[in-house]
Amino acid sequence: MTSFDIGTLLNFNPPIALCLKCKALWFKSTSSERISRCPVCGVIYRPGDTYSYWQPYKFLTNEGHGIAFENPVAHGQRLAAIAYNFNKRSIDYPPMRAILESISAARQFVHFTTFGLSHALFGALKLKAQTTTIRGIAANLHSDFAREISDYRNEAPRLELKVYERNNTGNDSGNIPHQKLIVIDGLLAFKGAANMTNEGLRKAAVGRDHIEVVTNIEEVVTLHNKLFSPIWSESSDQKTIVMDDIPF
Ligand SMILES: [Zn+2]
């Protein structure tokens, strides 16, 4: 028998904004602890002509870094159904299907970090990026991807990738990210050892690789801010962000 605490519906407290620099997920703070400094990358949000010191959320929302859903309950239910089906480990609902359905269901953003990326999943991400922002940290890519990423970025401008390749960047292997995480809208995550490759996800389907779904929002945010954001922002030494409207 499964149990469900209806009181938890009142505690639905999803992250409400992303840090402009490191894309860390921010929960709403209480009025006594207004955030003016990103708790993950440390960048300081300074008041500018447009926003006062207590308005970082308004600033971030106007910069396209707010997180809000038209119908949060329905969206949460859809993502919860994916997790439920995934956890049944049915032959009819393999990990690849859960990942594809999750990407398809995203409303605000998809963030991922992977050591390897298949062309099939890259195509799915490009398709989704026509409507939704996707940010990825990708290492160990096949050489075919070099031109795909550098020459055809304009086919999916909302797909932002940070690529780590030993040969291209001079990274030594110890510096190349190896963590695996996919985060959908700050509400659902997949973690484990399987990469975003056909082989990795299909091995996971038969118990030869590992991937788990995470539905606890606090854990999703903790994983995201630990595994994704520090790598995303490591090439930037920006210390402060002045809260003015940034012209396009
Ligand atoms: Zn940050």
Side-chain angles (χ1 to χ4, degrees):
M1 183 179 158
T2 55
S3 70
F4 179 72
D5 181 350
I6 200 167
T8 59
L9 290 171
L10 297 175
N11 296 330
F12 183 62
N13 180 29
I16 61 165
L18 302 155
C19 172
L20 209 59
K21 178 182 170 185
C22 73
K23 315 305 177 192
L25 300 171
W26 288 11
F27 286 114
K28 193 174 181 60
S29 64
T30 62
S31 56
S32 60
E33 28 172 65
R34 292 186 184 111
I35 294 180
S36 57
R37 181 178 182 275
C38 174
V40 176
C41 71
V43 74
I44 293 168
Y45 288 79
R46 292 206 188 287
D49 292 338
T50 324
Y51 303 93
S52 302
Y53 75 92
W54 67 85
Q55 295 180 306
Y57 294 112
K58 189 175 177 192
F59 166 70
L60 290 170
T61 299
N62 289 343
E63 294 304 323
H65 279 55
I67 306 171
F69 304 101
E70 219 167 275
N71 187 339
V73 173
H75 186 46
Q77 283 174 335
R78 181 167 185 201
L79 296 180
I82 293 170
Y84 178 80
N85 288 327
F86 175 89
N87 281 331
K88 283 199 291 190
R89 303 277 170 180
S90 151
I91 195 165
D92 295 325
Y93 201 85
M96 177 67 93
R97 186 172 169 194
I99 300 296
L100 289 171
E101 193 180 353
S102 301
I103 293 169
S104 172
R107 288 288 169 270
Q108 294 275 301
F109 65 88
V110 177
H111 288 174
F112 67 88
T113 171
T114 184
F115 192 78
L117 181 63
S118 68
H119 285 283
L121 279 160
F122 183 64
L125 293 166
K126 279 182 83 166
L127 178 64
K128 184 65 185 179
Q130 302 307 310
T131 56
T132 305
T133 298
I134 296 183
R135 300 182 181 94
I137 296 162
N140 189 37
L141 297 187
H142 191 277
S143 56
D144 292 358
F145 276 103
R147 283 199 64 211
E148 269 293 323
I149 291 167
S150 62
D151 296 0
Y152 302 107
R153 195 180 292 269
N154 57 357
E155 293 175 353
R158 294 176 78 169
L159 174 58
E160 302 171 32
L161 288 178
K162 290 193 188 288
V163 177
Y164 282 76
E165 288 298 344
R166 227 172 302 183
N167 297 335
N168 296 349
T169 65
N171 282 298
D172 60 52
S173 58
N175 194 35
I176 292 183
H178 199 259
Q179 58 263 58
K180 298 93 200 267
L181 185 72
I182 305 170
V183 173
I184 309 293
D185 291 336
L187 301 174
L188 182 79
F190 293 91
K191 68 171 185 177
N195 291 303
M196 290 179 75
T197 61
N198 299 4
E199 188 189 8
L201 294 174
R202 288 170 183 165
K203 276 188 167 182
V206 293
R208 294 293 182 269
D209 207 332
H210 184 64
I211 186 165
E212 283 176 45
V213 68
V214 181
T215 52
N216 180 301
I217 292 177
E218 208 171 309
E219 191 183 344
V220 170
V221 169
T222 299
L223 283 167
H224 175 278
N225 290 356
K226 184 177 169 190
L227 299 179
F228 179 86
S229 292
I231 308 289
W232 186 263
S233 62
E234 71 178 8
S235 60
S236 166
D237 57 4
Q238 188 175 21
K239 300 279 191 297
T240 59
I241 292 172
V242 178
M243 294 190 288
D244 280 323
D245 285 329
I246 298 169
F248 290 98

